Amino acid sequence: MTSRPAFELHQSLDALSDREREHVSAAVGRVSELLVSENPRYWSALTSLTDGDRGVALAFKNDEPVGFWLVERLTVGQARVLYSALTNVVPASQGEGISWQLRCRFLLQQMETGNDRPSFLAFRTRNPIAWQLNAKFCKTWAPDIFAGPSDEGLLDLGWRVARCLYPEHNIEFPSLVMADVYPPACCGAKQQHHRDPAIDAAFFTLPALSIRENGRFFIGELKAVEEIQALDGH
């Protein structure tokens, strides 16, 4: 029988004591061992706990870390944005909805407490499964993979957020495609595809995404707390 995961939520890594930071660092390091081994320089930078205003949600089974969601908070203009920096779940626990639960718990706690609750969720990906995972928490998003008209204000905000996070990269507008942002052959030998052919086809419409090193930046307006609560459990 598969044990149910337990979760830890750390909204601000800056607020942790030295002992707590060591605990979080060890958990993130344990979960990402396989990932980091693919490309130590690239993935070690992404799993950093010191860059920006960061928080993390951790998942454990039998006191062993099995997954994490690392986020960064930033304010662009008047917009409070939560950026999904990295999600990772150990192979043995993949397919159990842990990535979903990490988001649900962290977002609900973040939005129910404090005055600096985020209004937007941003993420970068080349994976249509990851796109859907994040997009489900949003009322609307930009760019629209289904080739519909994107909210111009939201699209402009997404471009500005991407520029804040990745000032050294060229970001195409309005597609928000980012070239050469992933190392060659990272995340496994094969490109991830969605089981829904409509989503998969829409996501890969842009020829630039046929190149494994390229990705695309997205931003969405977060749903209300009540809507996210209703999503829990899919």
Side-chain angles (χ1 to χ4, degrees):
M1 180 179 294
T2 303
S3 61
R4 298 183 65 179
F7 297 92
E8 285 184 15
L9 307 177
H10 300 281
Q11 295 292 341
S12 175
L13 296 180
D14 289 339
L16 298 181
S17 66
D18 290 343
R19 177 175 294 183
E20 289 170 330
R21 182 175 288 275
E22 288 177 7
H23 165 72
V24 169
S25 180
V28 169
R30 186 75 171 271
V31 172
S32 55
E33 280 177 353
L34 179 61
L35 193 67
V36 171
S37 70
E38 291 181 356
N39 191 311
R41 182 177 180 181
Y42 177 80
W43 291 113
S44 293
L46 277 189
T47 56
S48 170
L49 303 181
T50 58
D51 293 341
D53 180 8
R54 292 200 159 190
V56 68
L58 302 171
F60 294 83
K61 284 186 179 179
N62 301 317
D63 296 325
E64 289 293 321
V66 296
F68 66 84
W69 185 39
L70 185 62
V71 302
E72 182 172 343
R73 279 178 293 271
L74 64 159
T75 300
V76 177
Q78 299 299 313
R80 292 187 294 273
V81 181
L82 195 67
Y83 175 62
S84 177
L86 184 62
T87 308
N88 196 22
V89 177
V90 297
S93 294
Q94 291 176 7
E96 299 175 5
I98 290 177
S99 294
W100 176 272
Q101 294 178 66
L102 288 166
R103 281 164 171 74
C104 274
R105 284 162 172 74
F106 190 93
L107 283 171
L108 286 173
Q109 187 183 82
Q110 175 82 94
M111 296 172 74
E112 290 173 341
T113 59
N115 297 320
D116 295 328
R117 64 183 65 182
S119 298
F120 301 93
L121 176 66
F123 56 99
R124 185 191 72 183
T125 189
R126 64 175 187 202
N127 182 340
I129 301 171
W131 171 83
Q132 185 185 46
L133 172 66
N134 289 296
K136 279 188 173 182
F137 291 97
C138 301
K139 300 175 183 177
T140 184
W141 58 83
D144 187 344
I145 69 166
F146 296 105
S150 294
D151 181 300
E152 292 184 4
L154 189 58
L155 190 62
D156 178 69
L157 176 61
W159 186 84
R160 288 187 289 136
V161 172
R163 291 292 301 160
C164 286
L165 291 164
Y166 300 100
E168 73 281 8
H169 284 288
N170 178 53
I171 304 163
E172 296 179 9
F173 190 89
S175 69
L176 301 194
V177 166
M178 303 174 68
D180 300 318
V181 290
Y182 294 105
C186 79
C187 307
K190 295 182 179 180
Q191 173 63 54
Q192 295 293 309
H193 287 277
H194 200 285
R195 61 184 179 183
D196 184 331
I199 292 177
D200 200 70
F203 188 85
F204 289 110
T205 296
L206 295 178
L209 291 183
S210 65
I211 301 172
R212 291 288 305 275
E213 290 78 14
N214 294 351
R216 197 175 187 187
F217 198 89
F218 294 91
I219 190 167
E221 182 181 359
L222 282 165
K223 292 179 176 177
V225 169
E226 296 77 12
E227 294 175 289
I228 295 177
Q229 289 172 333
L231 285 173
D232 201 4
H234 296 53

